[in-house]
Amino acid sequence: MYVKGAPCVVFVVLTFWCGFPVFSAGFATFRNVTPKVVQEKLIWIKGQEEVSLYRIPIISYTSQGSLIAASEARKYSGSDHGPKFLAVKRSTDKGYTWEPQQFVSDDGSIVKDGLNLGAILSDDEKGIMFIFYTMCAHYDHCDTSTTHVIRSYDDGVTWTNSFNVSEQIGTRMFAPGPGYGIQKKLPPHVGRLVVCGHTSKRGMVCVISDDHGETWKNGGYIKSIPFKQPTKAGDFNPNECQPVELPDGSIMINMRNQGHYHCSCRIITRSFDGAETFSFDNLYFDEALIDPACAASTLYHNGVLFFVNAMSTNKRENLTLQWSYNNGTTWSGKLNIFPGYSAYSAMTAFSNSLKYGDELYILYEKGQNSANSMDSLSFVRVALYG
Ligand SMILES: *[C@@H]1O[C@H](CO)[C@@H](O)[C@H](O)[C@H]1NC(C)=O
Ligand SMILES: *[C@@H]1O[C@H](CO)[C@@H](O)[C@H](O)[C@H]1NC(C)=O
Ligand SMILES: *[C@@H]1O[C@H](CO)[C@@H](O)[C@H](O)[C@H]1NC(C)=O
């Protein structure tokens, strides 16, 4: 994919747009990728263990080399509200096999608006895993919304009881992700933990921790327009989102455009102070990333920015991976993963491991037909270099 209207030869001096296999831009070295799906496996299927529906996939590497996947196990119906378990699966062999699922949190049997996922986060410096979820994410069913976190200090084998983060960040609704939080690797604020999500009628917001998750505070916003008022189609309403750290230490946020404002495509912004502030000056709409207003994922991995979503302006279908060698300025290629029913997706990779850094792992909602449009959560292994 070249810049529209400009022939490739114009860019021969820049070489990498024209497919040279190795390129160094001074900030990061990368090899051109040739992604291929090498394995796909359903790891949660509706009805398993008497759970009505598994939804909202999230997945992360751990610093010890495992993969942790989590989902909402919706007990009695597929509704966003209602009682749920937080289901976790762990793999110690890069997703070839998965340990039996654990229900690491249970909101009971009568709750009107139960736990909603969520964000998973690896503190690589301390080897701690976190999973964030929200209780009462939809005010029409309950009064006070709270955000909770569970932790694992043993690589996801056991999980703590939940800690009520709302005691620190307040009780305005905060729905993290769905996706992963990040730990800053580059200045400013090396080691900072950042989790971003959306708030009811207020837009996108991040929470940050500078003490490995002991205390959390509110970071920057991208406010919706209107703000704190009922929203409708066409409004500027940034919703579910995923942060990534770019090579200059800035944080890029890729957001669901709930109101289809300006386009049926993703909203992108960047923070240069570790998610403390976001400015409209850095906000744009990426028209190449068409989206039906659905949760998607993005990942910066070995010098390449990846994006995966249901690539359609109006339907949850057509799961597609795209990649960019210039931080999302242009997208150089795409790989169709599943043309049929596909909705929320999550993505991870082992960033610091040469041995396994040549794969991406995607977990997405996959369906067979319109009546069962997201009846399973499917794990996909993508080989990046063919
Ligand atoms: C969590 O903390 C908030 C804010 O202090 C409080 O309103 C809420 O009741 C707490 N929830 C639980 C379950 O402890
Ligand atoms: C990508 O972003 C980095 C900073 O994060 C910048 O140094 C670099 O020039 C950008 N690359 C391209 C090709 O835009
Ligand atoms: C479906 O995805 C492919 C790439 O995977 C893309 O080329 C195509 O335009 C998409 N279809 C629709 C209807 O958007």
Side-chain angles (χ1 to χ4, degrees), residues 33 35 178 180 240-244 246 252-257 264-268 284-301 304-313 317-325 327-337 343-348 360-362 364 382 384:
V33 292
Y180 59 86
E240 296 167 326
C241 63
Q242 178 61 61
V244 290
L246 292 181
M252 172 184 267
I253 318 267
N254 185 309
M255 291 168 272
R256 167 172 171 168
N257 182 357
S264 294
C265 71
R266 306 291 294 184
I267 307 171
I268 315 291
Y284 65 97
F285 296 86
D286 192 334
E287 313 238 1
L289 304 183
I290 65 168
D291 190 66
C294 188
S297 190
T298 185
L299 181 76
Y300 190 84
H301 180 63
V304 184
L305 184 67
F306 292 92
F307 175 74
V308 66
N309 80 330
M311 190 181 185
S312 160
T313 55
E317 60 181 28
N318 206 26
L319 196 86
T320 298
L321 176 72
Q322 299 188 64
W323 52 94
S324 168
Y325 301 118
N327 312 323
T329 309
T330 55
W331 294 88
S332 294
K334 45 184 183 289
L335 172 70
N336 193 290
I337 290 176
Y344 282 36
S345 55
M347 182 161 51
T348 193
L360 287 186
Y361 310 98
I362 295 169
Y364 74 100
V382 176
L384 290 178

Side-chain angles (χ1 to χ4, degrees), residues 190-205:
V190 174
R192 169 173 287 180
L193 304 177
V194 178
V195 173
C196 303
H198 75 284
T199 75
S200 182
K201 303 182 181 74
R202 288 170 172 82
M204 190 284 299
V205 66

